[in-house]
Amino acid sequence: VEEGNFGGKGGSGQRAGKKFGLQFSGWHEMMANLDELSHHGILEGTKKALIETHKVVTPKLQQAVAPHHKTGHTEDSLVLTPNIDVRGYLVSIDVGFDLEKGGLPSIWLMHGTPRQAPDKKLYQALYGRKTAGEVAHVQYHAIKDTIDKYMSQK
């Protein structure tokens, strides 16, 4: 810990007291780890969190859409392969049904029509509170594990 005076260089700005700094063993290593985390770890952790999100949601959707099997087009439109898209500071992953590949009926199944009640199980599989909680849990741990990995490097 460094000691000194507050208030800068002499004159009327002097105050009684001390100036404290912070230095400890491992300081430089920790700063290097933070630098590495900011350059590589944040994207790595974000990608891991999004892939884990896909792993939570996709099986729920597969199970919930199965009773609606008629032609198989809606089931086949389910995004099974995690595809991460990085655009500047925005990182995203496709989860759910691809509307361009036959997934449009999934909207009617989840929200209902004037003649058909919504499928609450299918809706909850994607938008439900339980799913959101599970997603938050896996995302938290993916980010935490990445931070732990980079901050414990030697």
Side-chain angles (χ1 to χ4, degrees):
V1 176
E2 296 177 17
E3 295 183 20
N5 292 326
F6 285 127
K9 300 177 184 173
S12 62
Q14 289 287 64
R15 298 181 192 159
K18 292 185 174 188
K19 184 186 267 185
F20 288 93
L22 177 65
Q23 191 167 358
F24 51 87
S25 64
W27 170 263
H28 294 290
E29 292 84 6
M30 186 182 82
M31 291 297 114
N33 291 345
L34 280 171
D35 188 50
E36 186 69 17
L37 174 64
S38 70
H39 285 93
H40 303 287
I42 292 172
L43 182 58
E44 177 185 323
T46 302
K47 286 180 177 181
K48 183 178 175 184
L50 292 174
I51 289 170
E52 292 301 314
T53 298
H54 190 275
K55 288 179 183 178
V56 166
V57 176
T58 302
K60 290 175 174 290
L61 290 171
Q62 285 176 309
Q63 185 177 11
V65 77
H68 299 285
H69 180 81
K70 289 196 182 0
T71 64
H73 293 305
T74 304
E75 289 171 285
D76 292 343
S77 73
L78 193 58
V79 178
L80 299 176
T81 305
N83 182 26
I84 297 191
D85 184 24
V86 179
R87 294 182 188 192
Y89 292 109
L90 178 65
V91 184
S92 61
I93 190 167
D94 293 328
V95 176
F97 299 93
D98 187 332
L99 301 181
E100 294 176 358
K101 295 182 180 175
L104 190 59
S106 67
I107 295 172
W108 299 316
L109 290 170
M110 282 189 271
H111 297 282
T113 67
R115 293 184 180 176
Q116 180 179 331
D119 182 333
K120 296 292 185 191
K121 288 182 182 179
L122 186 57
Y123 183 88
Q124 294 298 323
L126 187 58
Y127 298 108
R129 185 181 302 152
K130 183 177 178 188
T131 300
E134 291 176 34
V135 165
H137 178 79
V138 298
Q139 288 180 345
Y140 169 82
H141 285 287
I143 297 294
K144 183 182 180 308
D145 291 348
T146 303
I147 291 171
D148 290 345
K149 170 186 163 185
Y150 279 89
M151 294 311 295
S152 64
Q153 290 180 356
K154 298 204 177 204

